[in-house]
């Protein structure tokens, strides 16, 4: 911001920052002064979760057909992601593009991992990863689709139906009236399952009512 003494303001900020670092991590020279500039001490190694997250996502994509390795890399990445990048400072111009970048990477990773789980018939894992991702972004249609499919494969018909109704209402509210061919196909599948179960129930009742002598 505009200030009459920018050099003094910067010096004050560096003093406060050094105090926070010292209080949190101990008496180490994290920030050094050199040639009229402040810099991070190159002798101090740091590990950033955002860099680890990105590294795992890139590794998972590059694995291609290495199914198990891709799953492990995506799992490691998504375990690190706890929500929007520096969300308390999302109004800062330099934070916004990074927030969007990491969020998009997370959603892509969640969708790809759920597909890999689905291919391995790990339906409970599909349910769990979709549930986590949808808590962070509830407007991702593909995650809803995979979640419902996983519930159907686990024979959790009631939960699948309930989730479909919530997803349909939510997506309609977010994107307006539009028909998703994928979700509509699931709707038909759920309807077919319900009809089949009703037919079985009627058949069972009929068998119970039959007498030995008609």
């Amino acid at each position: 911001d505009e200030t009459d003494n920018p050099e003094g303001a910067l010096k004050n900020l560096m003093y406060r920052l050094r105090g926070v670092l010292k209080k949190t991590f101990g008496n180490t020279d994290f920030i050094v002064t050199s040639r009229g500039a402040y810099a991070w001490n190159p002798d101090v190694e740091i590990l950033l979760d955002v860099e680890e997250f990105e590294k795992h996502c890139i590794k998972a994509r590059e694995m291609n057909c290495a199914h198990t390795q891709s799953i492990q890399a995506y799992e490691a990445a998504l375990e690190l992601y706890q929500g929007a990048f520096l969300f308390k400072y999302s109004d800062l111009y330099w934070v916004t593009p990074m927030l969007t970048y990491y969020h998009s990477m997370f959603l892509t990773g969640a969708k790809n991992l759920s597909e890999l789980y689905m291919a391995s018939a790990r339906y409970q894992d599909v349910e769990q990863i979709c549930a986590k991702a949808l808590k962070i972004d509830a407007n991702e249609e593909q995650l809803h689709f995979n979640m419902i499919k996983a519930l159907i494969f686990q024979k959790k018909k009631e939960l699948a139906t309930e989730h479909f109704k919530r997803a349909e209402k939510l997506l309609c509210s977010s994107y307006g009236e539009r028909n998703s061919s994928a979700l509509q196909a699931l709707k038909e599948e759920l309807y077919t399952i319900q009809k089949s179960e009703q037919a079985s129930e009627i058949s069972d009742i009929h068998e119970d009512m039959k007498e030995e002598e008609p």
Side-chain angles (χ1 to χ4, degrees), residues 55 60 106 138 203:
K55 182 178 72 176
F106 167 75
S203 176

Side-chain angles (χ1 to χ4, degrees), residues 65-81:
C65 296
H67 187 87
T68 304
Q69 290 90 335
S70 289
I71 287 178
Q72 291 173 345
Y74 275 130
E75 286 175 339
L78 301 187
E79 183 68 26
L80 288 169
Y81 194 89

Side-chain angles (χ1 to χ4, degrees), residues 125-193:
D125 290 327
V126 176
E127 181 184 351
Q128 290 176 351
I129 197 62
C130 287
K132 175 182 177 176
L134 288 169
K135 283 182 180 179
I136 293 173
D137 191 334
N139 292 319
E140 190 57 48
E141 185 176 295
Q142 184 62 43
L143 290 172
H144 285 294
F145 177 85
N146 290 350
M147 176 79 157
I148 296 166
K149 286 292 290 184
L151 291 170
I152 290 174
F153 279 124
Q154 293 179 85
K155 302 188 183 304
K156 299 177 180 179
K157 177 186 68 68
E158 290 80 7
L159 289 176
T161 303
E162 289 174 12
H163 190 91
F164 173 83
K165 290 178 180 178
R166 289 199 305 271
E168 189 176 43
K169 184 177 180 180
L170 176 67
L171 294 173
C172 183
S173 173
S174 299
Y175 301 114
E177 294 289 340
R178 68 184 183 91
N179 290 322
S180 163
S181 57
L183 284 178
Q184 288 305 312
L186 279 183
K187 187 176 184 179
E188 292 296 325
E189 188 171 341
L190 286 168
Y191 179 67
T192 301
I193 292 172

Side-chain angles (χ1 to χ4, degrees), residues 2-210:
E2 291 294 331
T3 175
D4 295 331
N5 183 14
E7 193 171 326
L10 180 58
K11 186 178 293 186
N12 182 49
L13 284 172
M14 288 299 106
Y15 176 80
R16 289 165 54 192
L17 178 56
R18 280 178 167 136
V20 171
L21 290 170
K22 181 178 180 180
K23 181 179 178 181
T24 307
F25 299 110
N27 192 18
T28 301
D29 290 330
F30 294 101
I31 297 174
V32 295
T33 306
S34 175
R35 296 181 183 179
Y38 295 103
W40 184 265
N41 186 344
D43 294 330
V44 179
E45 293 187 22
I46 57 173
L47 187 68
L48 294 178
D49 55 357
V50 289
E51 291 182 355
E52 290 296 297
F53 168 74
E54 185 175 20
K55 182 178 72 176
H56 288 308
C57 286
I58 292 172
K59 180 181 178 182
R61 288 202 307 265
E62 292 176 346
M63 287 296 176
N64 293 326
C65 296
H67 187 87
T68 304
Q69 290 90 335
S70 289
I71 287 178
Q72 291 173 345
Y74 275 130
E75 286 175 339
L78 301 187
E79 183 68 26
L80 288 169
Y81 194 89
Q82 301 300 318
F85 173 79
L86 294 179
F87 69 94
K88 290 183 179 179
Y89 308 98
S90 58
D91 56 334
L92 297 179
Y93 74 93
W94 66 272
V95 171
T96 303
M98 295 180 74
L99 185 154
T100 304
Y101 172 72
Y102 291 125
H103 183 71
S104 176
M105 187 172 283
F106 167 75
L107 289 178
T108 299
K111 287 185 285 187
N112 289 346
L113 180 58
S114 68
E115 293 289 345
L116 289 168
Y117 281 153
M118 194 78 78
S120 302
R122 294 171 58 177
Y123 304 124
Q124 189 171 359
D125 290 327
V126 176
E127 181 184 351
Q128 290 176 351
I129 197 62
C130 287
K132 175 182 177 176
L134 288 169
K135 283 182 180 179
I136 293 173
D137 191 334
N139 292 319
E140 190 57 48
E141 185 176 295
Q142 184 62 43
L143 290 172
H144 285 294
F145 177 85
N146 290 350
M147 176 79 157
I148 296 166
K149 286 292 290 184
L151 291 170
I152 290 174
F153 279 124
Q154 293 179 85
K155 302 188 183 304
K156 299 177 180 179
K157 177 186 68 68
E158 290 80 7
L159 289 176
T161 303
E162 289 174 12
H163 190 91
F164 173 83
K165 290 178 180 178
R166 289 199 305 271
E168 189 176 43
K169 184 177 180 180
L170 176 67
L171 294 173
C172 183
S173 173
S174 299
Y175 301 114
E177 294 289 340
R178 68 184 183 91
N179 290 322
S180 163
S181 57
L183 284 178
Q184 288 305 312
L186 279 183
K187 187 176 184 179
E188 292 296 325
E189 188 171 341
L190 286 168
Y191 179 67
T192 301
I193 292 172
Q194 289 174 336
K195 284 183 65 177
S196 174
E197 288 185 353
Q198 289 171 358
S200 297
E201 289 173 5
I202 292 172
S203 176
D204 291 340
I205 293 170
H206 181 258
E207 289 297 321
D208 290 340
M209 291 176 65
K210 282 171 63 177

